[in-house]
Amino acid sequence: MEAAARGTITSLETLFPPDEAQKAARRVEEAIADRRNELLRVQGFVSDNSSLINLVRTLPEELSHDIMVPFGSAAFFPGRLVHTNEFLVLLGEGYYAERTAKQTMEILQRRGKALEGQVESLKATMVDLEAEAKFFDSTAAEAAEGLVEIREEYVEESEKKAPGSDSLDSKRDDMQMPDEDEEYARIMARLDELEKEELEDGSTSDDDNEENLAGDEVEDDETGDEDEDAESSSSFSTSDLKHEILEIKHKSEHPVQKARGQGQEMLGSIVSKQIGGITEQPLTDQPFSGDSKMQFPAVAHSFSNSGQSISKEVSRSSSSDAKFSFSKIEDSSNSTSRQISDRVSSGHKAFTGSIIEHDLGLPPIQSAKSNLGQASVSSSSKPVSRFKMQKGNR
Amino acid sequence: MASSPAAVRELQQDLESQANALSKIQKDIAKNHQVRKQYTIQLGENELVLTELELLNENSNVYKLIGPVLVKQDIAEANANVRKRIEYISVELKRLDGTLQDSEDKQNSKKESVLQLQQKIQTLQAGKSKS
């Protein structure tokens, strides 16, 4: 088994310490509170202004008004308001202007417009601050959960004990968008690399081949699941499927492995849960080869065994980068998937615990290993990849 | 190694003085900001007054409030006064901007020197503990 995958595991806690994130969030909230107070003040001004406009509008309607004039701080006396059309309007900076009611109203209206402009700008800044606060809050929450950002180099990955499927999921969600383009390029590069390796390495042993094939099958199943959500996935039980899958797998090794790293934990758990009464179980105990494709055989069979449930889960958990590679694979495997989907429907109804495909006249798959052995050497009427042919010939 | 602890103490004193200077500069910057805000508000208000004054026709009465006294003013005079005030405020703002920039530069350099001093002290202390 290869050494642990080279890569870095950076806890989100170190990147964005939850304490500091919370402090930042609080600071932003304070700023928001300040802005909100300002907003209230300015809105108070606006309402005052409008009530003043109404007053100025009504005053000149009478020649004189009888009012109670405030006298000091606690007294009033009755009086009369005369010159109801003359207003001394404060222009600002201690300057007053004598104006008529109509002119005063115009001044006040202009002032009201300026105030509304201020309100708008305040609201805009508040919206920005609130967005910032939300971001800080979510970061603090995530960091508090103990999320870990895992970055790996694109090398042959061994099984990686990533911290829980939850972190994988969320990490996937977090890293999905930024990584997509990079992933795609990397996947393409790895595809080429793996193909070369396949050609150079040759077959180590038949068993390894079989295991690899099974792994391929599983991987393809997995990737197929990820790509073709509703289709395929569940009943990858036929050996001819295996052939197809192997073909696809060779092309998709890189992305699969990558996807595998992500979906690994989930699949592992799914597999262990759902492998029941199936001889494939021993597969899970098999030592994982350097390619770590081995785990897929168990997964593949579990797929077929457990039916759609697994496939659905896998497809749900599939990562975007897997999708990229699979878009390529999809083209080549469309025929396969179609067959798979056909078989899926039949597999659901009549699943007997052993995977036997009679339609295409291929040898039935009894157990993983024996099936693998058979699959690798069985002659299939379907076109097989040149890799497989080479493997078979060796 | 009698010189090391003395050197360390010296450096620490230097550090203290630099830190004080740094905090002083930061206070200056804060004050600058405050005054700038004030001036900006006044400038806005004066510009409003100017627009209103320009809208007045020639025979309107303009009064200025000087303390408790409301004094009648010539509209041309009021216009000129407000314009001069606006100019004065703008000049003040520019000057403050310059001082603010200077203070910020000084603050950054002080920060760097403080950091350097801290590093020196740390290395000295690490060296002392090693020896």
Side-chain angles (χ1 to χ4, degrees):
Chain A
M1 187 167 166
E2 265 191 30
R6 275 161 280 170
T8 55
I9 296 180
T10 35
S11 165
L12 267 182
E13 289 173 319
T14 58
L15 277 183
F16 310 108
D19 297 336
E20 289 190 14
Q22 277 171 0
K23 270 189 231 157
R26 252 176 267 134
R27 257 179 278 143
V28 176
E29 276 172 25
E30 280 175 18
I32 290 183
D34 286 341
R35 290 282 184 283
R36 209 170 282 140
N37 288 341
E38 267 296 306
L39 191 68
L40 280 175
R41 219 166 57 97
V42 178
Q43 278 172 341
F45 289 162
V46 170
S47 64
D48 282 347
N49 202 34
S50 48
S51 60
L52 192 59
I53 288 180
N54 284 334
L55 183 67
V56 169
R57 197 177 292 140
T58 58
L59 272 182
E61 285 167 10
E62 298 283 336
L63 271 178
S64 68
H65 292 264
D66 285 328
I67 56 169
M68 289 300 266
V69 185
F71 199 55
S73 66
F76 294 88
F77 62 81
R80 209 175 295 147
L81 202 60
V82 296
H83 296 286
T84 51
N85 204 28
E86 297 165 19
F87 291 87
L88 260 181
V89 188
L90 172 69
L91 304 175
E93 286 287 312
Y95 281 97
Y96 289 81
E98 233 178 358
R99 305 253 80 200
T100 68
K102 197 153 156 269
Q103 291 159 338
T104 315
M105 267 199 341
E106 287 168 13
I107 293 179
L108 289 177
Q109 276 165 354
R110 261 175 269 141
R111 227 181 263 169
K113 273 203 212 115
L115 281 176
E116 276 173 24
Q118 279 184 25
V119 166
E120 289 299 321
S121 69
L122 268 181
K123 277 192 188 155
T125 45
M126 264 191 60
V127 164
D128 289 341
L129 282 177
E130 274 171 9
E132 225 182 296
K134 240 184 14 166
F135 166 72
F136 277 129
D137 276 341
S138 63
T139 322
E142 283 177 6
E145 280 174 19
L147 239 58
V148 172
E149 181 180 327
I150 303 160
R151 288 188 173 275
E152 287 184 3
E153 295 179 10
Y154 252 116
V155 293
E156 293 281 306
E157 293 179 356
S158 61
E159 191 181 25
K160 188 168 55 70
K161 297 294 178 194
S165 51
D166 290 346
S167 54
L168 278 173
D169 283 344
S170 32
K171 169 217 161 201
R172 212 176 300 121
D173 292 339
D174 290 341
M175 297 181 56
Q176 226 169 353
M177 290 321 292
D179 292 343
E180 271 184 3
D181 296 333
E182 299 173 0
E183 295 290 339
Y184 187 66
R186 270 189 261 164
I187 286 166
M188 291 299 113
R190 275 183 67 98
L191 274 173
D192 298 335
E193 281 178 18
L194 278 173
E195 282 197 5
K196 280 187 215 153
E197 282 178 10
E198 288 281 347
L199 292 170
E200 289 166 9
D201 288 347
S203 64
T204 53
S205 68
D206 283 348
D207 283 352
D208 283 351
N209 277 351
E210 292 164 0
E211 290 172 3
N212 286 343
L213 291 175
D216 293 345
E217 179 186 62
V218 177
E219 275 182 330
D220 288 336
D221 288 344
E222 193 183 354
T223 59
D225 291 344
E226 290 165 344
D227 271 344
E228 306 133 0
D229 287 351
E231 323 173 54
S232 66
S233 64
S234 45
S235 61
F236 290 129
S237 55
T238 62
S239 54
D240 72 321
L241 261 186
K242 263 200 231 150
H243 295 311
E244 302 291 340
I245 291 160
L246 289 171
E247 181 177 341
I248 298 161
K249 197 250 172 194
H250 289 296
K251 292 182 198 157
S252 68
E253 249 181 69
H254 290 283
V256 170
Q257 283 185 345
K258 211 179 181 306
R260 188 171 50 74
Q262 289 177 341
Q264 219 164 283
E265 299 303 316
M266 282 193 56
L267 288 175
S269 59
I270 295 166
V271 169
S272 50
K273 280 182 215 156
Q274 309 218 359
I275 294 180
I278 291 157
T279 50
E280 286 80 12
Q281 205 153 18
L283 271 183
T284 55
D285 301 333
Q286 287 169 1
F288 286 101
S289 66
D291 288 342
S292 68
K293 300 166 200 168
M294 275 311 296
Q295 25 170 335
F296 288 86
V299 179
H301 292 287
S302 67
F303 280 138
S304 46
N305 292 331
S306 56
Q308 286 253 298
S309 55
I310 291 182
S311 61
K312 284 237 171 66
E313 290 176 55
V314 173
S315 43
R316 259 183 255 122
S317 69
S318 66
S319 65
S320 59
D321 41 17
K323 283 198 169 71
F324 278 113
S325 55
F326 296 133
S327 54
K328 258 190 108 181
I329 299 156
E330 250 180 330
D331 298 338
S332 58
S333 70
N334 266 344
S335 56
T336 310
S337 56
R338 260 177 253 125
Q339 295 157 1
I340 293 169
S341 49
D342 291 344
R343 262 171 258 125
V344 168
S345 48
S346 59
H348 282 314
K349 294 168 195 163
F351 183 68
T352 59
S354 70
I355 303 158
I356 295 179
E357 174 68 24
H358 300 297
D359 296 342
L360 306 172
L362 292 170
I365 299 171
Q366 305 289 344
S367 68
K369 272 222 132 159
S370 53
N371 290 342
L372 291 173
Q374 288 175 350
S376 59
V377 297
S378 68
S379 57
S380 158
S381 56
K382 305 250 178 232
V384 293
S385 69
R386 61 181 189 281
F387 303 109
K388 193 179 171 310
M389 298 260 277
Q390 288 170 353
K391 275 193 176 177
N393 287 341
R394 290 186 205 118
Chain B
M1 302 279 277
S3 59
S4 299
V8 171
R9 247 178 284 130
E10 217 180 274
L11 282 178
Q12 277 176 337
Q13 280 170 354
D14 266 348
L15 184 68
E16 264 183 57
S17 58
Q18 297 267 16
N20 288 341
L22 185 66
S23 64
K24 192 161 152 297
I25 292 181
Q26 281 175 335
K27 276 196 216 124
D28 282 343
I29 289 183
K31 227 176 51 165
N32 208 316
H33 273 300
Q34 190 76 5
V35 179
R36 263 178 98 244
K37 237 198 281 182
Q38 194 81 358
Y39 273 139
T40 320
I41 294 177
Q42 277 185 346
L43 186 68
E45 199 175 336
N46 273 298
E47 282 180 359
L48 267 182
V49 175
L50 193 62
T51 44
E52 290 291 344
L53 278 178
E54 283 167 1
L55 283 172
L56 288 175
N57 46 8
E58 279 309 312
N59 51 359
S60 328
N61 300 328
V62 175
Y63 301 85
K64 181 145 167 79
L65 186 69
I66 300 177
V69 181
L70 198 59
V71 179
K72 188 163 155 66
Q73 272 220 331
D74 190 20
I75 193 168
E77 201 182 325
N79 258 319
N81 282 346
V82 172
R83 283 217 180 89
K84 272 212 206 96
R85 198 164 157 74
I86 287 180
E87 274 177 36
Y88 171 73
I89 293 182
S90 327
V91 166
E92 278 292 305
L93 265 182
K94 276 206 205 102
R95 198 176 57 87
L96 277 178
D97 277 342
T99 353
L100 183 69
Q101 195 66 22
D102 284 343
S103 303
E104 274 183 5
D105 291 340
K106 265 200 281 178
Q107 183 196 53
N108 289 340
S109 65
K110 272 278 182 245
K111 266 195 205 157
E112 282 176 19
S113 60
V114 163
L115 274 174
Q116 280 175 7
L117 272 181
Q118 278 178 342
Q119 282 174 1
K120 262 198 251 171
I121 290 181
Q122 275 180 1
T123 50
L124 264 186
Q125 283 183 339
K128 253 196 348 184
S129 57
K130 271 195 212 159
S131 63

